[in-house]
Amino acid sequence: MFATKMYQSNIDFVLIYFILLFHNVVISTPVINIYKTVSLSSTSDTEGVAESVTSGILLALQHCQNVFLWDKWNCTNVEFHRLTKSTATKEAAFSKAILAAAVVHSITRDCSRGDIQDCSCKPVRNELRGYNSNHRKNIQSVTDSTLDEANDSNSIKDWSWSGCSDDTSFGNLVAKDYITFEDDVFGSVGKHNYRVGREIVYQTMIKRCRCHGVSGSCSTKTCWMQVAPFKDVARKLKEKYNKAVRLSQDNVEAAVALSNSIKNDKKYLPAPEYALVYLEQSPDYCILNATNGWPGTKGRTCSKTLSEFTSVSERKSCRNLCRQCGHRVKKETRTVKKSCNCNFQWCCSVKCDICLEKVERHYCV
Amino acid sequence: MPGTILENLSGRKLSVLVTILVLSQLACFLVGLISPSPASTQSILATVCVDDKPQDDKLNHWFDLGCSKKIHLEREESTIGLDANNLVFAMQMPLHGQDYSSWQQNLVGELQIDVIYKEGQKLSNPMIELLLDARIAYSDKTKDGGRTPWKYYTHSQTKRFMDCIFNETFVKDGYPYDCTMVPLFELGSLFHDYYLLNLRLPYDKKKEINTGLGRVSDIYLHTIHMNGGFTKVWVSLKTVFFPIILAIMIWFWNRVHSLSRKPALLEYMLISLGGTLAFLDLPIEYFTLYFDMPYMLFLSDIRQGVFYAMLLSFWLVFTGEHMLIQETGEKNSLRKYWKHLSSVAVGCVSLLIFDLCERGVHLVNPFYSIWVTPLGTNLALTFVICAGLSAGIYFAFLCYMIWRVFKNISIKRSVLPSMTQARRLHYEGIIYRFCFLMFATLICAAVTICSFLLSQYVQGEKKYDENMDLELTSVIHTGVYGMWNVYICALLMLYAPSHKRWPSEPICAEGEEVEFSRLSNDTSTPNEISSLTSFVAKANIE
């Protein structure tokens, strides 16, 4: 019944879902394009994947705002979802990458909870990794075989033979399949950045080990990789953002044309494999842009907190946000009610006193 | 008295034998190539179920993924009004619609509790004391494709410690602490198809239960089980080795018994060494396919322990028997070596006690850990240190004895030029072959140590995106296991008494074809088994 309704573009789905979400509209059964390629065994799984993707988007947004808190561009809701569309600025590169990473992260998490039954246990990772122009075909063939009864029992045999330690491939599959691209310059840049985002999840994975040999000694030791907390992924992506590579449109066009003619599946952008790339100069984020709905930095809060744990961007925030944009920094002192002397009780209650505290707030005028 | 086969075997036969042994050793390494890695892991994120009536605490009430009321801890509003006793963390093993097979042997569970930082609620003590109420149920497949209802398997209330660090540079509300994992359980058998863990973290302020715990966002259970493929390869190896070692033992004992004398000490040692190896090789893993045998982990510890104890004792006695200083007339017995062997005994007994305290108790309570109480930790450490010390003493002793043997041999060697050529060739050959076996032992030990280090390195370096097709760890495991089997088979064969009767004068040929003959006047020391020792006695007489 779901297959009858299908959105043409996945990006459209992101948008629609996003808009609905932020207008508190409850949609019962979101339909996503995943049907076409990733075959899911049950309708509950489809819902599971859709829900998981949604929380992935929220995760991406939340962490995007966290890491850009003291920058001129601060990843507002509108901006974030605008940039995951077809622009090619540095910020768009970051938004795309963090969105892809968050989807992988979120699906992987829900897979390990057992909410999605179809999470892959098959050694398809090599097909999923790297990017190739006809990946859709590949995934199609991979997933077609899942439907095959014979292959299904084969995968069960694999489980009892060699186990299943890989939890991320399904997340990768969904994230990869979820987002479609145009075959133009912007499409290929976007594709690259999405792939960087997915790769980051692999690169930040944490290794955990356990000894279980004779008498619990380390004569046998088993290690496995676990997806890192998303804050680490976001932080790593921010580093990538700072080192993003700008490409000229002609360069990319030539590379795309070349890769189309020789059917080169491997990387075809003239850029480092794991660097974020962008084509366009970012607009001046100091000033208001009515068409995009960008408010400018006027009225933004900056920080003059100084402690050994203050980050560089926070320390420079007043200069960066206000003075560089021609604004003045204004100080405002207020007395606010704050909870203090909190006493947390596992699991679910906190008892706090209410204290009055003088807070200094700096902002651009 | 005839000597051992080692000395009486022609060079050609010996080289054929050595080639066969080396080839079977290679085969053991190659077998490892078809095997998957020894163990696999699966990380399971807990589903948080709400228990509305925690008061009527029934052990047959289970919460699985289909529980009626689920909450997400990261959404604080969904936890309002709930009490710690309301929360049940349910983990269903295994994930993805799979089921466990008996070939997967055992299951280790490791808990990872993600505690998040909340503004103004910093953890008072980074070392958190946890009290876990853990229950395990099992279920099996039914013939029509369904599942039997959950049945009680085991439960326990157990204490654990968790160390949490917070990286102050990136303090943000809602960011997780970096906490250590907590070992939770070890199941010695995977007889059932599905297992379910229900975990509770009760809270009691008066009794100070779980008061140090911060806001928990997630609980992961990392499960480790053996791989069915690896067990199959492993058991096949055992199935092949077991009849071979048994046949060699019978052949060896027949040879010893067909002699007119009583078996010598070294022969007793060899046959017991063969016996412990046969015990180790006995493929009782087959029974786990039909019976629930939770004591398998413990049993395999015991089997390995007995084997290593015997091997270490054998080396001592072997070196001692070749000391080349014979107290004439006195029959050697184990009693002579009690001082030497006591280090092995102390080491093994302390390891046994340690194992009994940890894995032995697991038979009754799979959640037990000796390391959680200070007394238990001290006790465990005492035993481990004791074992380590005796291992040190043992090796110092062994090295000293080997050094003495080699010193004696070099002294005797200086006497060699004064002998006739035939006799000299004869003794040089014996010393050469004795050293050869020493060398073989050294190689085996070195290979074992190196492969252990290598497997640690391999596990340490394993990256996620590497091509993991080649499983070095299982190659190392099967290879080393095969090596000790081959080594002991070789010992049994080469140190079996020879039946060959040689004329008193050696028929001397040249080079590799020399068939070494025996001394004619070897009646002075009736109980030695090798002519090397008789050579020494002879040299003493001269």
Side-chain angles (χ1 to χ4, degrees):
Chain A
M1 65 178 263
F2 298 106
T4 53
K5 259 173 78 188
M6 223 177 265
Y7 291 100
Q8 279 304 304
S9 156
N10 289 316
I11 298 292
D12 281 351
F13 166 70
V14 178
L15 283 180
I16 290 163
Y17 204 81
F18 215 73
I19 292 162
L20 290 175
L21 199 79
F22 280 89
H23 292 78
N24 290 326
V25 179
V26 181
I27 38 173
S28 54
T29 46
V31 182
I32 55 171
N33 211 347
I34 280 162
Y35 270 109
K36 268 199 285 192
T37 46
V38 187
S39 51
L40 300 167
S41 67
S42 63
T43 46
S44 69
D45 254 20
T46 321
E47 285 171 43
V49 170
E51 252 174 56
S52 190
V53 168
T54 315
S55 48
I57 298 167
L58 289 175
L59 188 71
L61 179 65
Q62 180 201 342
H63 283 268
C64 180
Q65 288 175 351
N66 269 347
V67 289
F68 279 97
L69 187 60
W70 305 116
D71 290 65
K72 285 193 191 97
W73 182 77
N74 65 344
C75 202
T76 56
N77 296 359
V78 183
E79 267 297 290
F80 180 73
H81 100 246
R82 188 179 72 82
L83 290 183
T84 52
K85 287 205 306 180
S86 58
T87 37
T89 56
K90 213 173 165 181
E91 287 72 32
F94 179 86
S95 306
K96 284 174 180 161
I98 201 167
L99 177 67
V103 169
V104 177
H105 197 273
S106 174
I107 294 266
T108 304
R109 204 182 121 89
D110 286 346
C111 274
S112 49
R113 192 190 275 130
D115 283 352
I116 306 168
Q117 281 289 318
D118 277 315
C119 297
S120 159
C121 207
K122 293 166 285 288
V124 286
R125 193 175 57 250
N126 286 345
E127 302 221 28
L128 299 172
R129 309 290 310 284
Y131 73 105
N132 51 41
S133 52
N134 52 355
H135 77 277
R136 289 188 155 267
K137 219 185 274 171
N138 277 351
I139 292 174
Q140 184 75 61
S141 66
V142 168
T143 48
D144 275 354
S145 63
T146 345
L147 289 173
D148 209 326
E149 282 285 321
N151 278 21
D152 216 35
S153 65
N154 207 24
S155 95
I156 286 168
K157 193 191 154 204
D158 278 349
W159 150 254
S160 73
W161 177 264
S162 57
C164 167
S165 296
D166 180 20
D167 312 315
T168 40
S169 42
F170 188 74
N172 211 340
L173 187 76
V174 170
K176 189 165 193 171
D177 203 66
Y178 177 60
I179 300 142
T180 47
F181 309 94
E182 301 297 316
D183 260 346
D184 61 354
V185 178
F186 285 86
S188 46
V189 168
K191 200 164 165 181
H192 176 97
N193 290 330
Y194 278 120
R195 185 183 54 83
V196 172
R198 295 197 307 271
E199 286 290 340
I200 292 282
V201 180
Y202 285 95
Q203 287 170 16
T204 48
M205 278 181 140
I206 300 168
K207 192 172 72 200
R208 299 184 182 271
C209 291
R210 164 80 199 243
C211 293
H212 53 106
V214 191
S215 302
S217 71
C218 279
S219 64
T220 315
K221 190 167 145 191
T222 300
C223 296
W224 65 95
M225 301 301 284
Q226 200 198 358
V227 176
F230 199 72
K231 60 156 181 146
D232 296 340
V233 178
R235 204 155 68 211
K236 186 94 182 184
L237 270 175
K238 180 79 189 291
E239 285 168 24
K240 296 264 177 200
Y241 165 84
N242 290 338
K243 290 179 196 157
V245 177
R246 184 171 180 189
L247 298 178
S248 79
Q249 201 147 333
D250 298 344
N251 260 343
V252 179
E253 259 165 17
V256 171
L258 185 70
S259 72
N260 281 346
S261 62
I262 57 168
K263 296 241 176 287
N264 184 3
D265 286 349
K266 271 284 170 197
K267 75 175 190 87
Y268 51 67
L269 285 189
E273 210 179 338
Y274 297 121
L276 290 176
V277 295
Y278 64 103
L279 295 172
E280 299 168 342
Q281 179 83 49
S282 303
D284 188 354
Y285 288 111
C286 291
I287 45 176
L288 174 143
N289 184 339
T291 45
N292 288 342
W294 176 254
T297 57
K298 200 168 186 177
R300 284 276 299 277
T301 309
C302 67
S303 161
K304 283 196 169 172
T305 320
L306 271 182
S307 81
E308 53 175 320
F309 303 123
T310 317
S311 67
V312 182
S313 58
E314 184 175 353
R315 215 172 292 160
K316 288 184 180 168
S317 61
C318 285
R319 189 170 58 192
N320 199 7
L321 291 177
C322 306
R323 286 187 209 109
Q324 274 183 12
C325 291
H327 303 303
R328 281 181 304 109
V329 182
K330 196 176 175 190
K331 195 165 109 180
E332 182 190 72
T333 316
R334 282 190 308 179
T335 328
V336 289
K337 281 181 186 169
K338 259 192 153 182
S339 45
C340 58
N341 304 326
C342 287
N343 183 8
F344 175 74
Q345 263 192 15
W346 163 250
C347 70
C348 315
S349 71
V350 196
K351 286 194 185 102
C352 294
D353 297 338
I354 305 280
C355 315
L356 289 177
E357 206 176 307
K358 261 191 186 170
V359 184
E360 277 183 6
R361 176 175 169 261
H362 301 267
Y363 62 102
C364 310
V365 285
Chain B
M1 188 208 76
T4 64
I5 285 182
L6 175 65
E7 303 140 40
N8 287 322
L9 211 57
S10 73
R12 181 185 283 167
K13 282 180 187 162
L14 185 66
S15 57
V16 168
L17 188 65
V18 168
T19 317
I20 292 173
L21 292 177
V22 168
L23 284 181
S24 44
Q25 170 61 62
L26 270 180
C28 290
F29 273 112
L30 291 180
V31 155
L33 285 180
I34 60 163
S35 150
S37 64
S40 280
T41 57
Q42 206 167 54
S43 300
I44 302 166
L45 181 60
T47 302
V48 190
C49 295
V50 178
D51 184 359
D52 288 325
K53 293 170 190 157
Q55 309 81 287
D56 40 314
D57 190 20
K58 277 186 248 151
L59 278 179
N60 54 6
H61 186 58
W62 297 98
F63 294 88
D64 61 8
L65 297 194
C67 62
S68 53
K69 208 172 157 196
K70 292 183 204 174
I71 55 162
H72 290 272
L73 285 181
E74 69 266 19
R75 296 184 202 142
E76 270 175 51
E77 65 278 3
S78 68
T79 62
I80 292 170
L82 290 177
D83 185 48
N85 298 318
N86 288 125
L87 299 189
V88 182
F89 296 88
M91 291 94 157
Q92 209 166 308
M93 304 163 262
L95 281 176
H96 312 319
Q98 310 283 2
D99 58 274
Y100 286 124
S101 126
S102 297
W103 287 106
Q104 287 165 334
Q105 297 288 303
N106 49 54
L107 189 71
V108 176
E110 189 97 0
L111 214 57
Q112 178 206 329
I113 302 179
D114 288 345
V115 181
I116 50 174
Y117 168 82
K118 282 277 165 190
E119 212 151 357
Q121 300 170 32
K122 213 161 169 283
L123 287 180
S124 48
N125 183 2
M127 185 66 106
I128 301 175
E129 190 186 319
L130 297 167
L131 186 88
L132 308 168
D133 176 303
R135 300 160 187 197
I136 292 185
Y138 68 88
S139 158
D140 287 301
K141 269 190 289 198
T142 51
K143 279 188 187 124
D144 56 343
R147 290 177 179 199
T148 59
W150 294 111
K151 273 197 209 97
Y152 171 84
Y153 188 75
T154 180
H155 95 283
S156 175
Q157 282 222 347
T158 174
K159 207 165 78 172
R160 292 288 188 275
F161 287 96
M162 182 167 80
D163 202 5
C164 288
I165 322 162
F166 196 79
N167 189 348
E168 297 270 4
T169 329
F170 301 98
V171 182
K172 281 263 163 66
D173 199 44
Y175 274 18
Y177 285 90
D178 194 2
C179 296
T180 53
M181 289 195 297
V182 177
L184 188 66
F185 63 86
E186 267 187 42
L187 297 182
S189 74
L190 266 184
F191 188 67
H192 302 288
D193 290 328
Y194 311 102
Y195 289 85
L196 173 74
L197 173 72
N198 274 186
L199 190 76
R200 287 173 172 86
L201 295 163
Y203 177 87
D204 194 321
K205 199 172 184 183
K206 274 180 210 142
K207 292 181 194 158
E208 293 204 353
I209 293 173
N210 289 330
T211 42
L213 195 60
R215 199 170 273 278
V216 174
S217 63
D218 286 317
I219 297 188
Y220 276 94
L221 177 73
H222 303 289
T223 57
I224 306 171
H225 58 80
M226 301 302 284
N227 276 331
F230 181 76
T231 316
K232 280 174 189 163
V233 169
W234 193 251
V235 174
S236 320
L237 262 186
K238 286 183 162 190
T239 320
V240 171
F241 274 121
F242 181 65
I244 293 178
I245 185 82
L246 218 58
I248 292 177
M249 273 170 69
I250 292 169
W251 170 83
F252 176 85
W253 206 233
N254 273 341
R255 271 193 168 236
V256 172
H257 266 274
S258 60
L259 296 176
S260 49
R261 62 177 172 84
K262 276 193 163 178
L265 175 62
L266 213 48
E267 284 158 354
Y268 276 123
M269 292 302 283
L270 274 169
I271 195 76
S272 351
L273 186 59
T276 53
L277 182 67
F279 181 47
L280 185 65
D281 279 344
L282 188 68
I284 41 175
E285 281 84 353
Y286 284 120
F287 292 112
T288 60
L289 302 181
Y290 305 103
F291 306 103
D292 190 5
M293 295 162 75
Y295 42 85
M296 273 303 288
L297 265 180
F298 183 58
L299 190 63
S300 70
D301 281 359
I302 296 285
R303 292 205 289 177
Q304 291 201 41
V306 168
F307 171 70
Y308 285 120
M310 196 61 222
L311 187 63
L312 297 178
S313 319
F314 170 77
W315 282 337
L316 265 184
V317 174
F318 180 81
T319 326
E321 290 294 282
H322 288 80
M323 202 50 97
L324 311 186
I325 303 157
Q326 293 292 324
E327 295 102 88
T328 43
E330 187 196 326
K331 185 168 159 51
N332 281 342
S333 69
L334 264 189
R335 218 167 296 152
K336 189 184 146 197
Y337 292 101
W338 73 268
K339 263 186 268 176
H340 314 57
L341 291 180
S342 54
S343 67
V344 179
V346 169
C348 287
V349 165
S350 39
L351 275 186
L352 175 72
I353 296 174
F354 170 68
D355 208 59
L356 272 173
C357 291
E358 181 83 8
R359 285 214 164 139
V361 180
H362 280 165
L363 296 181
V364 187
N365 175 10
F367 298 103
Y368 179 81
S369 172
I370 193 172
W371 300 99
V372 287
T373 56
L375 179 72
T377 307
N378 287 340
L379 209 67
L381 275 179
T382 315
F383 286 128
V384 172
I385 288 169
C386 199
L389 273 182
S390 34
I393 293 172
Y394 169 84
F395 278 108
F397 219 72
L398 187 67
C399 290
Y400 169 69
M401 283 172 77
I402 291 173
W403 174 75
R404 270 182 65 191
V405 171
F406 276 105
K407 211 174 94 178
N408 283 342
I409 285 180
S410 68
I411 290 170
K412 303 302 176 196
R413 256 198 190 130
S414 58
V415 195
L416 281 175
S418 62
M419 298 178 186
T420 62
Q421 202 199 4
R423 193 169 281 174
R424 205 189 59 196
L425 271 175
H426 178 128
Y427 288 127
E428 277 177 347
I430 296 166
I431 291 176
Y432 167 72
R433 282 174 193 183
F434 171 73
C435 294
F436 182 75
L437 217 75
M438 265 293 169
F439 186 60
T441 309
L442 258 184
I443 285 186
C444 285
V447 167
T448 309
I449 292 169
C450 288
S451 38
F452 172 74
L453 294 178
L454 185 67
S455 72
Q456 298 291 315
Y457 175 77
V458 167
Q459 280 294 347
E461 285 299 295
K462 203 187 242 174
K463 282 268 173 62
Y464 209 82
D465 49 1
E466 296 293 311
N467 193 348
M468 290 197 284
D469 284 347
L470 181 80
E471 267 313 326
L472 206 52
T473 335
S474 17
V475 174
I476 286 169
H477 271 89
T478 55
V480 168
Y481 185 71
M483 189 178 68
W484 288 108
N485 270 285
V486 167
Y487 173 82
I488 281 155
C489 288
L491 279 189
L492 278 171
M493 287 193 281
L494 294 175
Y495 278 78
S498 171
H499 283 176
K500 279 185 188 169
R501 283 271 160 208
W502 293 99
S504 47
E505 274 309 303
I507 317 157
C508 200
E510 62 263 64
E512 279 293 286
E513 290 305 310
V514 173
E515 302 249 334
F516 294 109
S517 86
R518 304 224 0 85
L519 273 177
S520 47
N521 56 343
D522 56 357
T523 45
S524 52
T525 48
N527 47 3
E528 325 128 333
I529 63 153
S530 88
S531 52
L532 178 68
T533 39
S534 38
F535 150 67
V536 181
K538 171 95 173 85
N540 282 342
I541 294 161
E542 278 169 355

